[in-house]
Amino acid sequence: MAELSPIDKAKFVAAKRAAEMVEDGMRVGLGTGSTAAWLVRCLGEMVREDGLKIRGVPTSTRTAELARDVGIEVISLDEARWLDMTIDGADEFDDELNLIKGGGGALLQEKIVATASDQMVVIADVGKQVETLGAFPLPVEVIPFGWQTTKALIEETLISMDVLGRQTSLRMNGGVPYITDEGNHILDLHLNRIGNARQLALVLNQMPGVVENGLFIDICDRVVIGYGDGRVEVRDINEGTVEQERLDFLEEDNLFSDLME
Ligand code: 5RP
């Protein structure tokens, strides 16, 4: 078995630490992406081996499939109505725990699910931490009808926004436009630096054709930051606390073998 890269170890320990926050009986929002996939595997193991009783609301068809595969009971958001906790990855997070999400194209369901939760916990390797959001291209979900007009409107609006770049691109997948679970397209906004994320998030969502943007402002409560050497740091924005610990793990663990397949 090939050894896990430091970045994968960092994602794994963040996911494992966050999984420990989940308690019996919880309705849990399950994020999308490679870090969230580690979380779903960890929770699946806790369900199968420790008898943890949870119901999961996935944020994408990919996550739904994985959750069922590992033995988590999957329910829809409409069945759950409200969630105890959502755990998800992020493409960037800043000191205020504002986020850029949507690198995996699931930002719409992710934002709906996170907003419908008592708590949102972000799991991320330390490389996702930034001083100012915007180096990662900001995903914006747009409806296919008139997407080029929407793109032009966004570019024009960006002229008056506090950003460093204004280039936008339609996300592609194998030579054709990427289609989200909701049947929409994604425009990636190459802004380099977002001076006022709150304002930009509001302005983007005012535009006809825009369904949702990947800025998560005041949604995340805690971030679990993983390091390649097994250290984790838990920051709680509401309590103002920072806790550090080291997680021991063996790459020979069954969970790891599963994940490496
Ligand atoms: C998917 C997301 C992901 O959480 C984000 O892209 C991070 O992914 P990864 O954990 O693979 O780095 O927002 O829409």
Side-chain angles (χ1 to χ4, degrees):
M1 185 180 76
E3 202 185 317
L4 285 181
S5 67
I7 196 161
D8 278 332
K9 283 183 193 168
K11 289 178 180 189
F12 174 74
V13 290
K16 192 166 164 49
R17 178 65 186 84
E20 290 169 5
M21 297 173 182
V22 175
E23 293 168 18
D24 247 355
M26 277 189 170
R27 290 158 299 176
V28 185
L30 305 170
T32 296
S34 56
T35 321
W38 296 91
L39 169 89
V40 174
R41 293 275 189 171
C42 287
L43 289 176
E45 190 181 56
M46 289 160 72
V47 166
R48 294 191 311 272
E49 295 186 7
D50 310 330
L52 177 73
K53 288 184 179 48
I54 55 166
R55 285 170 295 162
V57 173
T59 52
S60 62
T61 50
R62 272 166 286 165
T63 298
E65 198 177 316
L66 178 62
R68 287 194 186 97
D69 282 353
V70 299
I72 297 173
E73 184 188 344
V74 169
I75 57 169
S76 69
L77 183 59
D78 285 331
E79 285 171 287
R81 300 293 279 273
W82 194 259
L83 303 175
D84 299 285
M85 183 182 285
T86 285
I87 307 175
D88 200 350
D91 300 300
E92 284 186 351
F93 65 91
D94 68 12
D95 283 350
E96 288 165 356
L97 305 196
N98 291 323
L99 319 170
I100 286 184
K101 284 187 53 54
L107 67 104
L108 178 55
Q109 290 190 17
E110 289 172 340
K111 199 183 266 192
I112 295 171
V113 168
T115 304
S117 305
D118 280 341
Q119 288 185 65
M120 182 198 194
V121 178
V122 158
I123 47 178
D125 59 275
V126 67
K128 306 284 182 64
Q129 180 176 338
V130 297
E131 207 169 296
T132 307
L133 299 174
F136 190 91
L138 175 65
V140 177
E141 183 154 343
V142 297
I143 63 164
F145 177 83
W147 70 265
Q148 303 201 52
T149 304
T150 307
K151 181 175 183 288
L153 184 62
I154 290 175
E155 283 168 1
E156 197 183 304
T157 306
L158 287 174
I159 295 172
S160 58
M161 293 283 115
D162 184 5
V163 293
L164 275 187
R166 294 202 302 271
Q167 197 211 329
T168 66
S169 54
L170 180 69
R171 191 176 299 181
M172 303 295 283
N173 182 22
V176 293
Y178 178 85
I179 306 282
T180 69
D181 274 348
E182 248 54 54
N184 297 316
H185 293 330
I186 300 264
L187 295 175
D188 288 305
L189 277 46
H190 304 264
L191 308 173
N192 301 323
R193 181 181 188 282
I194 302 172
N196 189 339
R198 190 178 302 272
Q199 182 193 39
L200 181 63
L202 290 173
V203 168
L204 284 170
N205 280 15
Q206 290 297 314
M207 292 183 196
V210 170
V211 182
E212 191 50 85
N213 69 82
L215 286 165
F216 284 47
I217 310 293
D218 294 339
I219 295 178
C220 174
D221 299 284
R222 279 187 278 181
V223 62
V224 184
I225 306 166
Y227 293 80
D229 61 3
R231 278 179 302 135
V232 284
E233 184 174 303
V234 183
R235 284 189 209 159
D236 186 318
I237 194 78
N238 304 314
E239 304 291 330
T241 54
V242 179
E243 287 166 20
Q244 289 168 339
E245 61 190 276
R246 182 181 293 275
L247 293 196
D248 292 322
F249 59 92
L250 293 171
E251 292 194 27
E252 293 76 34
D253 280 356
N254 287 338
L255 182 64
F256 265 112
S257 321
D258 292 351
L259 286 163
M260 294 296 289
E261 279 166 9

